[in-house]
Each structure stands twice: as C-alpha cells, then as structure tokens.
Amino acid sequence: FNVEKDQVLIFDTTLRDGEQSPGATMSLSEKKEIASLLDEMGVDIIEAGFPIASDGDFEAVSEISKIIKNSRVCGLARAHRVDIERCWRAVENAKKPRIHTFIGTSPLHREFQVKLSKEEVLDRVFETVNYAKTFCEDVQWSPMDATRTERAFLIEVVRLAIEAGATTINIPDTVGYTAPTESAEIIKNLFSEIPELGKIVVSTHCHNDLGMATANSLAAVEAGARQVECTINGLGERAGNTALEEIVMALRVRQDIMPFSTNLDTKRLIQASRLVSTVSGFPVQFNKAIVGKNAFAHESGIHQDGMLKHSGTFEIMKPEDIGLNETNLVMGKHSGRAALRKKISDLGFNLGDNQLQDLFVRFKTLADRKKEVYDEDLLALLADNSMKTNDEFLQLIDLEVKCGTNSPQTAKATILMEGKSYTVESSGDGPVDAVFNAIKIIFPHSAHLQHFQIHAVTEGTDAQATVSVRLEEAGKMVTGQSSDTDTVVASAKAYINSLNKLVLRRMKKAPEAVAN
C-alpha cells in the first residue's frame, strides 16, 4: 500500500512477540480486548499471533481478524507451505489481511536452526514468498537474525524476496545485537544496493538486549525504514522489544530532527499500557519512559520550583498527551454511578452499561472498606475485571484463614472447578502458603512457584494490595495478578489466575521457538 515519505507505519506485535515473554500468556478475550484498543488507537498493522503454533493461536488470529475495523491483521508463518496455508486460513476474514513469513539467514541460524545452505535458503525464500502471494497480495518477509547476516548474502536474499513478490521487507535485530550507527548503515546499504527496495515498505524490528531497541529503530527510520515493529510497554521475550510508546512520542516530540508522523492517537497510550500490564501480569517499572509511574513525577526541589514557574522547564511533553489526566473528583462510598462513569472516562476508559454496573458494585464494596477511593484503586478494579474470562477453570468462592504467632497457620478454601464446588482445609508456613496448599489439593499440579510479589496500590493501611504470581511448568511460565484490600485474598486470586493461564498454556504446543 502507498505510504507517504514522511509517514511511519506502526506494526504492533504485542499479541505475538509480546506474548512470547515468559509468563505472558493471554486468553482469547484478553487478546481481543487489546486488539480492539490497538485498532481504535490507529495502529497500522496488528500482528495477532502465530497460527501454526497451536489451535489457541489460530483461533485468536481468526477471531481478531473478524473484529478489526481499520488495522491490517497479520499472522506469522515460518518458511513452510503448511505454515503459510494455516496463516492464510486464520487471517482470510480480515478486511486487510497480511501474511508475514520468515527464515533464519545468519551463519549461526543457517547451521544450527534451519540447517540449510545459502542456496537452500534462497530456494526456500523464493518458493514460500511466491506461495504466500497465491493467497494474499500483502506479504511481509523477514530474514531472521538479519543484523548478524553477511551483508552480501542479506542483499542477495532481500532482492530475491522482492522478486518473489514481498510487499514489505522487515530487517529484524532478532537478538538485540546491533547499535544505532550500524542499524542505519544496514538499511542505507540495502537501499543503495537494491533499487527495487524504494518501491516497497522497509521495516525495522529491534530487541532490547543491549538497551538500544528504540534508538536502533529510530536510526533505521532516519535511514529510510517506514515501518517500526514494536510492542506496548516494550513487552517481549528476554529484554523485550522496541516500545511503541517510546517510538511515537519520540517522533512527536522531536519533529525538529525527525520530521516523521504516525497515525497513532497518543492519548490512548496510558490506557494501552495499563491494559497490557494487567493482562500480561508484567508491571511497568516506575521509571519507564513515557508510561512509568514516575515519568511525570518531580521530587527535586530545583525541578519542583521550575515546574511551578513553567512546566516546560522540566517536561518535554504534557501528561495529557499520553492520556494521563488528573481530576479533582474524589470518590467515596457516597459517590453515584454518574460520578464513577465520569471518573472512569477521565481515566481513558469507556465502559458499557453492564461493565459499569459490575464495576459500580465492586467499587461500593471497596468504598465501604476505604474512606477514599483513589484513581489507582479504580484502575486496580478495572484490571481485576479485565483478568476475568468466561472460560475460567478455577474460581475462588470463599476463603477463611487463621494466622498469627501460634503455628500452624491454616486456610479453608472453597473453589469452583469446572462448575463443581470443592471445600478443603490445609496448613502451611504462613497464611499465603496455607492458601496455596489448599488450592493445590483441589487442583493438583507440578508447577513451581517462581515469583511472588506484593505491592500496595496506594498509601495507608487500608490500601489495596496487588499481588503477582508467576508459575513454571515444563519450561513454560505463566503470570497471574489480582488486587484486594485483603492481601491473602489477593494472593489467592492471583494464584488462581495464574493456574487458569496454566490450563490455557497446556493447550498450546508451539512447533519451535520463534524469536523474529
């Protein structure tokens, strides 16, 4: 498709590469919610998943394809006919479908991953790109580990992919190896050596292993790339991917040196960040650029003095630019639905009547426990609501805990499992351990608890606690999260949430690791 020379396309891979983060498994309903928000934000291409990986991935890509109104929907496929066929079946109902196929091209990948010679790689590229074109006009191709591929061979294989019909060429820094100067040089060299490249879209896909993903992506844009592959919050395996919010705000703030535009509505960034953090169970670090809790906080006396005189002294962008709005509306137990709807709207969320009613009931319950309900409390309630799915395997019905200085600590839990109620009692080394032991009696499993974290949503002894639980089973990790003013209850819900994701993960059987 046609792209203005100063326009940068945003290719979001949160639902594919982002979900490859250890523990970041998402349910179908969660993926659809994220995809819908990305579509509303103006993301140009949504990479919805890897259809060959599992029936769950295929269903997610297929269902997302049916609901997206404006964005292109993309599926990933290895350089195999069966992958490409399944990918097409998943995206064929999209208004704007795309097939993204790839193969490893670096010496290491050729020898140890794909186990093909240069000639065999070239043959496979031409065959599979050409085959993908029989299904879909919009075909993207990637040489995996491009930044460690011999320059001459990279030129040869890119030229061949274009000849076979690729409409977008993506140059991935698969292992986060490159640096800005080199990233730009690779793109410039490709344009110089392959004149045909000027007629199609060149993309950049950077990982953050050395902390340079955003810098490398922007360097590629300055060198001629017009598509950036990224994820919300920089989510992704290992150290993550290029962060979408960093790219779009860098281009917006530094128009003087990077005169490029995107179609993204930046006022939805904080909403997207919070949603992805909740669904993935990966908290956003406080000092994360753009969307971190401290991104617009000023504690230094000099900074505070400057801010009071003029915000521009120490802020290069406004909080409202990313949708971070502050209001003076204090919520409490006497607040009504209209006030709650206004507050939720100010926070960047639009809820249907049924969703608002459900939130209102839980808000009133919380307000009975707390004198004042802060924005962070409401966001935690919204997060808990987004964690719920219609296909929950386990649900907490009731919990009683005995704890204190006298051992043993005990827990009595009632759990709904596949529609049937079970009540058990157990003891443990502390109340949380006792609760986890009780749940494990009802749902036996071999998952190992790798991470257990509690943090207060707000200040005060009546603050809600947000608990994150990460489990590992057979090399696969899942993360659950929940909030409650009762820390033990929040722990139980987070543990159950992670177990529900574990059940979902068991249904996924990826053919091989994908690190494009």
Side-chain angles (χ1 to χ4, degrees):
F1 48 92
N2 294 324
V3 180
E4 298 295 330
K5 67 177 182 178
D6 62 348
Q7 181 187 1
V8 174
L9 301 174
I10 298 299
F11 178 111
D12 185 276
T13 184
T14 302
L15 299 176
R16 199 278 299 171
D17 208 334
E19 202 203 11
Q20 288 178 204
S21 303
T25 302
M26 305 173 192
S27 68
L28 175 59
S29 60
E30 290 168 343
K31 288 184 177 182
K32 289 171 68 175
E33 184 177 6
I34 291 173
S36 294
L37 179 56
L38 295 175
D39 189 32
E40 293 169 9
M41 289 171 64
V43 165
D44 298 284
I45 305 101
I46 299 171
E47 189 167 52
F50 184 29
I52 197 69
S54 69
D55 290 340
D57 258 35
F58 178 87
E59 181 185 17
V61 177
S62 180
E63 291 302 310
I64 288 170
S65 295
K66 296 173 185 175
I67 64 172
I68 296 305
K69 299 176 181 178
N70 302 304
S71 304
R72 292 177 181 270
V73 180
C74 176
L76 185 68
R78 296 169 302 176
H80 299 304
R81 284 183 170 238
V82 65
D83 279 48
I84 291 168
E85 290 169 5
R86 189 163 175 81
C87 183
W88 171 246
R89 289 200 301 272
V91 300
E92 63 180 336
N93 291 316
K95 290 183 178 179
K96 302 172 185 177
R98 172 179 291 189
I99 294 174
H100 178 193
T101 184
F102 71 98
I103 193 170
T105 57
S106 70
L108 278 169
H109 280 237
R110 293 197 308 266
E111 181 178 356
F112 296 106
Q113 196 204 37
V114 297
K115 297 180 180 178
L116 298 173
S117 67
K118 286 184 178 180
E119 292 71 23
E120 289 171 325
V121 168
L122 290 168
D123 289 343
R124 182 74 64 84
V125 169
F126 189 84
E127 176 199 354
T128 53
V129 172
N130 196 277
Y131 187 60
K133 288 290 285 189
T134 65
F135 296 102
C136 185
E137 178 60 31
D138 188 358
V139 174
Q140 174 170 318
W141 178 77
S142 296
M144 186 161 64
D145 204 20
T147 56
R148 294 193 298 173
T149 299
E150 308 96 317
R151 298 293 180 263
F153 184 60
L154 183 62
I155 290 168
E156 186 177 5
V157 74
V158 166
R159 181 181 287 120
L160 189 67
I162 297 172
E163 183 183 336
T167 50
T168 297
I169 295 292
N170 175 48
I171 304 300
D173 183 28
T174 303
V175 293
Y177 178 74
T178 197
T181 302
E182 183 181 60
S183 176
E185 183 273 327
I186 291 172
I187 299 297
K188 288 178 181 177
N189 188 47
L190 288 172
F191 273 109
S192 174
E193 298 295 328
I194 310 173
E196 311 94 279
L197 207 58
K199 300 177 182 179
I200 65 174
V201 177
V202 176
S203 178
T204 179
H205 176 120
C206 298
H207 281 261
N208 204 39
D209 297 71
L210 294 176
M212 295 188 284
T214 297
N216 290 334
S217 296
L218 291 173
V221 168
E222 290 186 284
R226 288 297 177 266
Q227 176 177 293
V228 176
E229 305 201 357
C230 43
T231 62
I232 300 295
N233 297 337
L235 191 67
E237 56 187 330
R238 302 189 317 277
N241 291 57
T242 303
L244 179 150
E245 62 275 6
E246 294 174 13
I247 290 294
V248 296
M249 291 310 295
L251 293 178
R252 173 171 173 158
V253 171
R254 295 310 310 270
Q255 280 281 298
D256 55 328
I257 61 173
M258 294 182 289
F260 307 106
S261 64
T262 72
N263 292 321
L264 208 85
D265 177 4
T266 64
K267 294 184 185 298
R268 309 295 292 274
L269 286 174
I270 197 69
Q271 180 184 354
S273 172
R274 288 165 173 169
L275 175 60
V276 170
S277 176
T278 297
V279 167
S280 66
F282 280 48
V284 178
Q285 66 190 65
F286 284 8
N287 62 336
K288 168 73 175 66
I290 315 300
V291 293
K293 184 178 181 179
N294 292 345
F296 294 93
H298 303 272
E299 186 169 331
S300 161
I302 295 175
H303 283 225
Q304 290 175 345
D305 179 64
M307 286 295 294
L308 289 171
K309 292 172 180 174
H310 191 287
S311 62
T313 55
F314 288 101
E315 282 188 353
I316 59 174
M317 52 193 159
K318 298 177 182 178
E320 52 267 32
D321 289 344
I322 65 166
L324 191 61
N325 300 316
E326 294 184 4
T327 66
N328 296 318
L329 193 60
V330 178
M331 303 298 292
K333 66 180 181 179
H334 299 298
S335 300
R337 285 181 181 80
L340 180 63
R341 186 186 291 275
K342 176 65 168 63
K343 170 66 80 171
I344 295 301
S345 176
D346 289 341
L347 291 173
F349 295 86
N350 295 311
L351 301 183
D353 291 339
N354 291 338
Q355 291 175 306
L356 183 68
Q357 176 59 27
D358 178 64
L359 181 67
F360 184 70
V361 170
R362 291 184 295 117
F363 158 70
K364 283 292 189 179
T365 301
L366 178 62
D368 284 336
R369 301 182 191 176
K370 299 189 65 177
K371 183 178 180 180
E372 291 184 345
V373 178
Y374 299 95
D375 289 0
E376 291 84 355
D377 290 311
L378 292 175
L379 290 169
L381 291 179
L382 285 165
D384 268 2
N385 188 57
S386 69
M387 280 287 187
K388 293 181 179 180
T389 61
N390 296 325
D391 53 355
E392 287 185 319
F393 185 76
L394 301 167
Q395 293 182 52
L396 178 67
I397 303 301
D398 189 56
L399 182 65
E400 297 177 21
V401 175
K402 178 183 177 182
C403 60
T405 57
N406 296 322
S407 298
Q409 287 76 39
T410 61
K412 180 180 180 181
T414 300
I415 305 291
L416 194 67
M417 182 170 67
E418 293 189 300
K420 186 176 180 180
S421 179
Y422 299 87
T423 300
V424 299
E425 293 188 42
S426 185
S427 60
D429 184 13
V432 173
D433 188 48
V435 170
F436 286 10
N437 288 339
I439 295 171
K440 194 169 182 179
I441 292 172
I442 295 172
F443 179 56
H445 59 84
S446 59
H448 174 66
L449 180 63
Q450 283 212 335
H451 176 75
F452 175 76
Q453 178 177 292
I454 303 171
H455 76 265
V457 174
T458 58
E459 298 178 355
T461 56
D462 62 349
Q464 286 193 94
T466 293
V467 177
S468 294
V469 171
R470 184 172 299 160
L471 299 176
E472 181 272 330
E473 182 184 61
K476 301 294 184 181
M477 285 186 280
V478 292
T479 302
Q481 182 177 302
S482 189
S483 302
D484 199 279
T485 52
D486 188 319
T487 304
V488 180
V489 172
S491 301
K493 290 180 177 178
Y495 189 60
I496 286 174
N497 183 257
S498 65
L499 289 173
N500 283 329
K501 289 189 173 184
L502 185 66
V503 173
L504 183 67
R505 171 65 81 176
R506 286 175 176 176
M507 296 187 293
K508 292 195 169 190
K509 297 178 180 179
E512 63 180 53
V514 178
N516 187 29

